[in-house]
Amino acid sequence: MNENPQFKHQRAKSILWLCSDSESHLLLAADYVKVARYDTENNPSLPENDKLKIALEHIKYTQSKIYGRICVLQKYEKIKYVEYALQYYEDALSENDILLKSIKKKSEKSTYDDLKNLIIHVTNNNFSEELTQKAINLMCLTDIEVKFANKME
């Protein structure tokens, strides 16, 4: 089972569901989902078809949710995880209208809240122009409304 990318993906999801307030467990989940994504994208024995595409989209979404949650737990202190979260949310939501609609409808409240708080934090603090733009792009993509803080230079 450990050779199957779906096993690693399901393991990552189970950790996310059961240990969503544990940074150390979520970092383990991040490792599982990273391997699942790599194996799915780079395994020549997997047939390229709609099922594979759907599986990869779900893996990307799980990856974004894990990193979004890690950012919340770390209070956005580690920029590399903020970068990962923004990139993975963009990867997942820009390629899948169903997942995007789910976010817009707030179907998964915790995922919506994690994404919204990430966008708020990045757009209202001193992050690089590139990261701020990624957050603004996600805000526009998802229709998440954010009030910008007045930044004094």
Side-chain angles (χ1 to χ4, degrees), residues 57-72:
E57 288 173 358
H58 284 282
I59 290 169
K60 290 177 182 180
Y61 190 52
T62 301
Q63 194 171 33
S64 69
K65 290 167 44 171
I66 290 168
Y67 279 94
R69 187 99 280 265
I70 289 170
C71 288
V72 169

Side-chain angles (χ1 to χ4, degrees), residues 102-114:
S102 174
I103 287 288
K104 288 181 178 184
K105 290 181 181 178
K106 304 176 192 173
S107 298
E108 295 181 46
K109 183 160 176 29
S110 62
T111 302
Y112 176 87
D113 289 344
D114 287 351

